[in-house]
Amino acid sequence: MRFDLVTIFQEFFAGPLDHGILRRARETNLVDVQIQDLRVFTKDRHRSVDDRPFGGGEGMVLKPEPLFEATEALLGRSLGSAEEPVVQEPKTAIVLMSAAGKLFRQETARRYAQLDRIVLLCGRYEGVDERVAEYLATEEISVGDYVLSGGELPAMLIIDAVTRLIPGALGNEASSQNESFSEVRHLEERGAGGASPAPTGGKPLTEECATLLDFPHYTRPADFRGWKVPDVLIGGNHAEVANWRRAAALEKTQRNRPDLLLR
């Protein structure tokens, strides 16, 4: 998997890429992360990547020319024009990080993990010329219902979420299958009849329900300041532990993310 980051702040990525799973994945050549300075593709002596918005308004807007040319240089091909549109490569995504984009979810990460290459366009200032979203990016993605100063941090979140789904990136492959939003856990939580037991006060969950949050985890000491680990986790009965975890995951999902139960 190759990630290309198009940004005006190359130094932003020095720390996050050099630790933990991402560092190991890079060292073992599971992923290749390249950082492209957007200012290289400017034409004026001030290396300007932005300009005032048409129609007036606050802030500055990133221009389309540098973003198109940077992406074309990375991919080694033209990305077309209004007169000559091109067909995108199926195994390559060009993702514009934008507060106005579609919400990034775990299923998005799973889909991205099947690709060969992802180009991440990191916006800044008031926004990005809409022609980038319409004609350059294959997707416009947001990481949440809030506004950040730029696309660098969201791009890092995507790289991390996708990398850990690539086979070999984690020490234990089951780690990505038994956690919050995991598709495998979601299927396993249901009973034989296609529905899971209901959380306290809730309705039984059917095949149409969304994935669940992870169940609560505990470790030693078993008694910390009077707060004790549930007895079932210490008893050694694996069937009872599995049942407890199923119910606890449902309860925690209803408490922290009830919207997941309505999807």
Side-chain angles (χ1 to χ4, degrees):
M1 166 73 76
R2 171 165 168 162
F3 297 97
D4 292 287
L5 293 153
V6 181
T7 176
I8 60 173
F9 293 118
Q10 294 173 280
E11 62 277 9
F12 178 93
F13 301 98
L17 293 173
D18 292 332
H19 299 280
I21 292 170
L22 280 175
R23 177 181 61 80
R24 293 194 298 272
R26 294 174 67 208
E27 289 176 347
T28 56
N29 296 318
L30 281 174
V31 299
D32 178 21
V33 183
Q34 298 294 324
I35 305 172
Q36 177 62 63
D37 182 2
L38 182 62
R39 295 191 188 277
V40 170
F41 298 92
T42 56
K43 301 286 194 296
D44 64 308
R45 63 188 180 91
H46 298 294
R47 305 180 76 198
S48 302
V49 296
D50 61 329
D51 207 333
R52 294 184 301 276
F54 282 119
E58 300 78 17
M60 302 289 278
V61 176
L62 280 180
K63 300 190 290 185
E65 298 99 325
L67 287 164
F68 268 83
E69 292 183 16
T71 306
E72 288 174 332
L74 288 169
L75 299 181
R77 60 185 177 87
S78 170
L79 292 171
S81 64
E83 290 75 26
E84 298 182 5
V86 298
V87 177
Q88 296 289 351
E89 296 179 0
K91 283 289 191 175
T92 297
I94 303 171
V95 180
L96 172 63
M97 307 313 306
S98 164
K102 297 178 182 178
L103 192 61
F104 181 77
R105 301 183 185 278
Q106 187 67 14
E107 52 262 38
T108 318
R110 284 193 288 267
R111 177 163 54 84
Y112 283 178
Q114 304 303 312
L115 301 176
D116 294 332
R117 190 172 190 178
I118 302 176
V119 179
L120 295 156
L121 308 177
C122 302
R124 276 276 159 178
Y125 309 119
E126 187 64 25
V128 178
D129 188 292
E130 185 64 18
R131 288 165 290 188
V132 173
E134 281 195 68
Y135 306 113
L136 174 60
T138 57
E139 291 190 76
E140 189 175 4
I141 292 292
S142 168
V143 296
D145 295 338
Y146 44 84
V147 179
L148 297 171
S149 300
E152 285 77 15
L153 184 56
M156 260 322 310
L157 295 177
I158 288 178
I159 292 176
D160 188 286
V162 173
T163 295
R164 63 194 313 281
L165 296 178
I166 297 173
L170 301 177
N172 182 354
E173 294 304 314
S175 296
S176 65
Q177 298 172 358
N178 297 284
E179 58 187 1
S180 295
F181 311 109
S182 169
E183 199 168 46
V184 174
R185 279 197 67 252
H186 177 46
L187 295 173
E188 290 176 350
E189 298 308 318
R190 302 190 181 111
S196 292
T200 303
K203 297 178 181 179
L205 301 182
T206 64
E207 289 293 333
E208 287 72 31
C209 75
T211 52
L212 302 175
L213 299 181
D214 199 2
F215 52 77
H217 296 270
Y218 296 89
T219 188
R220 295 167 180 78
D223 186 336
F224 173 67
R225 298 187 180 182
W227 297 306
K228 298 181 179 180
V229 173
D231 291 338
V232 65
L233 299 180
I234 303 173
N237 187 315
H238 297 297
E240 290 183 0
V241 169
N243 288 334
W244 179 90
R245 286 176 168 172
R246 181 180 302 116
L250 291 169
E251 189 279 329
K252 190 163 190 175
T253 303
Q254 187 175 59
R255 171 162 42 91
N256 289 348
R257 289 292 304 277
D259 58 297
L260 294 177
L261 305 180
L262 302 175
R263 291 183 189 170

